[in-house]
Amino acid sequence: MSHPLKQHLIDPEICIRCHTCENTCPIQAIEHNDDNVVVDASKCNFCMDCIPVCPTGSIDEWRVVEAPYSLEEQYEWDELPEQGDVTLDDAPSDEQSNDEGDADPVAALLAEAHKGAGGKARAPASAAKPTINLYNLSNAVEAVVQGNYRLTAEGADTDVRHIILDFQGKPFPVLEGQSLGIIAPGTNEKGRPHLPRLYSASSPRDGERPGYHNVSLTVKRDEGGLCSNFLCDLKKGDKVDVTGPFGATFLMPSDPAARLLMICTGTGSAPMRAFTMARERTVGAREGGMVMFFGARTPDSLPYFGPLKKMPEKLLHKHLVFSREPDQPKEYVQDRMRAEEELVAEMLQDPNTYIYICGLKAMEQGVEEALNNITESTGESWQALRDTMREDGRYHVETY
Ligand SMILES: Cc1cc2nc3c(=O)[nH]c(=O)nc-3n(C[C@H](O)[C@H](O)[C@H](O)COP(=O)(O)OP(=O)(O)OC[C@H]3O[C@@H](n4cnc5c(N)ncnc54)[C@H](O)[C@@H]3O)c2cc1C
């Protein structure tokens, strides 16, 4: 007699070992060694908290099994096993059966897992359907560098680059808000290829110039960092191994009337640039419906400062905020949001507003507190509004 079980697994070929899932799991069902990140089947209760936080989607893997794969087996994997044949001489156990009486218990269990996975973070309803995981570590695509330009002033405290990649006619269908994986050359101490690092596309889906289908990245040189230094040092004509695209929820609505509230710091501006250029190409000189709060230490260290200043306010209403301007009080994005409470509150009350927060992890708490204060002032609960917005695909956070 067999009771098929659904088992939650992580795809080792796609996972970038950022451990966000492990840090999010409320019951410590996820663990890792030097090789893999794995899920303990005896602990996992399918709460799905880990699903929306995974930047690659490698966490969203499910198998129906007669006996769960052990942690030891999962640690050995270089790739996920295929869904095997399961002897189904009995119905699924009560707690795992679906109430629709589906004739195929394997399909029913897998469908049930995916239904749960969609419950927390959603893409905007009108977003284009993203392609994900077209290329992975063992099947990367080669891109050629078309240009590498410094975005921050020489002498600024941060070196951020605008790097343009060309896929030489090979397909790389990336939407605004998605990321690419970059594999730095060489091997790690175990002689294995380095794991990809993720970088947001900062160009719109049809390319830096319409129809060119090249992709730009906005990369900050991280002192001592492997991949960011590799990228920032690239020259025109150099070749780069790329995986992805990744990300199925941090996407922009296709509806040109949707309003975007974009809050970012540093390289978190990358997806916002892609959104803005895409919207500009769609609406032309008309009202853009986009508001941006963008924080940096100084104008010299704010990526795209020059082009942003030139962008018409009608298309993109900008608040560039600086925390280290000489003779000025420190100001962070959350301070400016509070100062612009009326504007933010009005946007929050509009069911056609979409929020995007992107940048360093440290910004998240301050922004959340500001949104909380602003909603409180209008007698609403931020938590309730955020849950509704998230379920509607209207609240998106990507911090790293
Ligand atoms: C969804 C997502 C999107 C992202 N988008 C962007 C983006 O658009 N632009 C961008 O610039 N970044 C982005 N990132 C971050 C990016 O993926 C990398 O994490 C970042 O560039 C650092 O990678 P690295 O290989 O240079 O550093 P790593 O080599 O991974 O090192 C990370 C840090 O650890 C330190 N370190 C490394 N080894 C040691 C050691 N032995 N001892 C002490 N310290 C050590 C390094 O100095 C560095 O500060 C994104 C991340 C995610 C998850």
Side-chain angles (χ1 to χ4, degrees):
M1 213 158 66
S2 150
H3 291 284
L5 307 159
K6 78 177 176 215
Q7 184 174 6
H8 185 195
L9 299 167
I10 297 173
D11 187 336
E13 279 192 293
I14 309 280
C15 172
I16 56 164
R17 281 70 169 170
C18 65
H19 308 300
T20 311
C21 55
E22 193 174 334
N23 298 331
T24 304
C25 179
I27 52 163
Q28 287 78 48
I30 302 179
E31 55 179 80
H32 71 274
N33 69 2
D34 283 349
D35 295 320
N36 286 345
V37 185
V38 298
V39 186
D40 188 337
S42 69
K43 292 185 184 165
C44 176
N45 63 5
F46 310 108
C47 73
M48 303 290 176
D49 282 4
C50 57
I51 305 292
V53 296
C54 172
T56 62
S58 57
I59 191 85
D60 196 6
E61 287 292 342
W62 309 87
R63 294 291 181 271
V64 175
V65 291
E66 285 171 37
Y69 293 108
S70 67
L71 294 174
E72 290 70 30
E73 283 174 289
Q74 295 177 55
Y75 278 134
E76 290 301 312
W77 289 341
D78 290 324
E79 58 186 61
L80 272 187
E82 295 287 324
Q83 172 63 57
D85 290 333
V86 180
T87 313
L88 297 168
D89 51 8
D90 197 7
S93 57
D94 280 352
E95 65 275 21
Q96 296 212 324
S97 67
N98 80 345
D99 48 18
E100 287 149 25
D102 199 305
D104 178 351
V106 173
L109 285 171
L110 289 174
E112 182 192 279
H114 284 286
K115 227 187 316 181
K120 300 245 165 168
R122 293 216 172 98
S126 70
K129 195 169 168 0
T131 301
I132 51 170
N133 301 338
L134 188 58
Y135 302 100
N136 61 28
L137 196 53
S138 57
N139 165 38
V141 62
E142 191 178 79
V144 174
V145 177
Q146 281 187 317
N148 179 349
Y149 310 96
R150 186 167 168 140
L151 291 171
T152 48
E154 291 297 337
D157 59 359
T158 171
D159 179 6
V160 180
R161 304 269 167 166
H162 184 70
I163 299 166
I164 307 172
L165 301 177
D166 179 57
F167 289 91
Q168 312 269 295
K170 282 161 281 184
F172 200 89
V174 62
L175 293 176
E176 306 82 15
Q178 285 193 291
S179 333
L180 288 68
I182 302 289
I183 308 172
T187 51
N188 64 16
E189 62 285 355
K190 289 189 167 181
R192 296 191 176 175
H194 293 295
L195 289 168
R197 298 336 190 235
L198 297 196
Y199 297 90
S200 306
S202 52
S203 49
R205 65 191 75 183
D206 54 347
E208 273 288 277
R209 282 171 62 190
Y212 276 62
H213 293 287
N214 45 8
V215 179
S216 69
L217 308 177
T218 310
V219 182
K220 174 175 170 279
R221 190 187 291 277
D222 202 342
E223 208 182 312
L226 174 80
C227 196
S228 60
N229 281 281
F230 161 67
L231 283 167
C232 290
D233 291 336
L234 286 170
K235 309 257 174 318
K236 192 174 174 191
D238 284 349
K239 298 193 165 82
V240 184
D241 286 332
V242 182
T243 65
F246 299 115
T249 56
F250 195 105
L251 301 172
M252 75 181 290
S254 301
D255 173 8
R259 299 170 75 192
L260 311 190
L261 176 55
M262 305 184 284
I263 305 156
C264 61
T265 55
T267 56
S269 55
M272 313 312 185
R273 178 181 186 266
F275 291 164
T276 307
M277 287 174 73
R279 178 61 65 89
E280 189 180 23
R281 285 178 195 176
T282 320
V283 301
R286 282 184 288 142
E287 197 72 46
M290 292 180 293
V291 174
M292 170 186 253
F293 290 88
F294 186 176
R297 289 163 77 92
T298 59
D300 273 3
S301 63
L302 185 134
Y304 307 112
F305 182 70
L308 267 172
K309 291 290 272 187
K310 287 193 206 133
M311 188 75 75
E313 281 288 307
K314 195 171 159 191
L315 178 76
L316 175 68
H317 179 61
K318 300 171 286 289
H319 288 279
L320 307 182
V321 184
F322 304 108
S323 60
R324 298 288 189 286
E325 276 276 74
D327 308 323
Q328 297 287 327
K330 285 184 183 175
E331 190 182 21
Y332 297 97
V333 279
Q334 57 267 29
D335 302 324
R336 184 66 68 90
M337 288 167 67
R338 282 198 186 89
E340 294 289 331
E341 178 176 329
E342 213 174 301
L343 165 71
V344 177
E346 185 274 318
M347 286 191 83
L348 290 177
Q349 279 164 359
D350 183 346
N352 210 13
T353 293
Y354 293 70
I355 300 183
Y356 298 87
I357 301 168
C358 191
L360 292 178
K361 266 213 160 36
M363 74 179 287
E364 211 176 312
Q365 194 188 345
V367 170
E368 277 277 328
E369 281 168 10
L371 290 166
N372 194 20
N373 296 151
I374 294 168
T375 36
E376 260 176 12
S377 72
T378 56
E380 277 184 277
S381 146
W382 166 239
Q383 263 184 348
L385 178 62
R386 187 186 54 197
D387 286 351
T388 306
M389 291 188 81
R390 198 178 264 148
E391 277 183 28
D392 289 351
R394 297 192 296 117
Y395 180 74
H396 303 276
V397 180
E398 191 163 273
T399 53
Y400 42 84

